[in-house]
Amino acid sequence: MKNILLSILFVGIIFQSCNTVHNKNEIKPYLVVLSLDGFRWDYPDKANTPTLDSLAKAGVKAKSLKPCFPSKTFPNHYSIATGLYPDHHGLVLNRFHATDLGKNYSISDTKTVTDGEFYGGKPIWNVAEEQGIKTATLFWVGASADINNERPSHWSLYDEELSKQDRIDSVFHWLSMPEETRPHLIMGYYHEPDETGHNFGPESNETLDLIEELDSFLADFFTQMRKLPNYDEINFIITSDHGMAELSPDKVIFLDNIIDTADLEFIDGGNPVYNLKVKEGKLEKVYTELSEYGNNLLVWKHNEVTEELHYGTNIRTHDITIVSDSGWSIYWSWFNGKSLGTHGFKNTCKDMHAIFYAAGPDFKISYNQPTFNNIDIYPLAGKILNLKLPKVDGKIENVKDMLKTK
Ligand code: AMP
Ligand code: ZN
Ligand code: ZN
């Protein structure tokens, strides 16, 4: 208990000076965005998170952050980076066949992850660089790709093994660089608590212990940042790409019990969301078989996906999109996954929602932000950095109230 009180006090001190409104002509603003993969919106209610609680007091806490459909890692990190729905930026799943390019994309294939041809839209780091603001990224989806011959000033190939301390040191190093080369937009990524959520389930002690571990990582991060002479000028966003739903071994749909795999050209995706390319002349047959299956399986033809999901119009989503109801798995009978948690479900399912916290000179203090879409982070970042942005799906109107006068 004493430790908890001390850390609340300590983090309180860390944030006490985030109170100054700057004159935008005097100071070139800073924004640091950190994403902790799969950090469900309600984890802080279930675990002890003094650092996040202090952030909420010092700045903004959203009720929840609504991901885009499908609530998978790559589509959503790139939606945050571009302000576009996955249907519009082209990373329609973590793994897919890009019919337009005649190439396959996979998150585990460095060659494709770094191939700019797959990436639509204009990531915020490229917008910033074009407008004279240096940027740095630590493993954000898309940042290792050359997109329209542009890249962040600082980027590196994905390295999950990089220690937490090294990540903190990288951000500190960047923010300590001479002003001519110093990045004013930094975007960093860490793969937890997603991995533990998959392995043990979102309600497990293992996941909740990890949430507390990540909260102390954030305390270490802010302790280090506090040492920067320009700390008071820096805006911070701590967020995530999606949540996590508990799976049950009794709730499994085996695709090969419903359709004949010989009717498929190929299938993209992973539990619980897939896009099917159907063999010529088989569309109605496969669609009918899937539609007649029952309530826990949602099925749409290309261009017919329910409007609220903003999905299924990109050529890379193929002929049919399927997703199960939250908590249900879709596998093949010869491959029955063992995960206790997953994501990818409709973004209207609350378990798919993520966290959003923000603090710094441009954010209001102790402000409760209603649930908003992660594509709105792009215009928010643009506003903070005084950037002229291309037209995107995200809307500043949804998020501007969390800012002081800008
Ligand atoms: P998923 O839970 O399947 O949606 O994806 C999460 C996984 O994506 C993590 O475990 C990471 O290993 C991986 N990942 C995240 N960012 C990157 C990246 N920039 N490059 C390669 N893999 C990544
Ligand atoms: Zn993720
Ligand atoms: Zn995941």
Side-chain angles (χ1 to χ4, degrees), residues 93 95-97 104 255-256 259 261 263-278 286 290 316-322 330-332 334:
L93 282 169
R95 295 176 178 80
F96 58 88
H97 177 71
N104 291 325
L255 263 188
D256 47 316
I259 54 171
T261 49
D263 290 340
L264 300 184
E265 208 62 77
F266 57 83
I267 178 163
D268 287 344
N271 184 38
V273 53
Y274 301 84
N275 290 323
L276 285 61
K277 180 75 186 159
V278 178
V286 174
L290 289 165
R316 299 177 184 178
T317 66
H318 313 311
D319 300 322
I320 295 176
T321 295
I322 60 172
I330 305 179
Y331 288 124
W332 304 99
W334 60 86

Side-chain angles (χ1 to χ4, degrees), residues 37-38 71-73 94 194-195 198 241-244 341-343:
D37 196 320
S71 45
K72 291 281 185 190
T73 298
N94 284 344
D194 179 75
E195 189 177 307
H198 281 294
D241 50 349
H242 53 71
M244 187 69 65
T342 204
H343 51 91

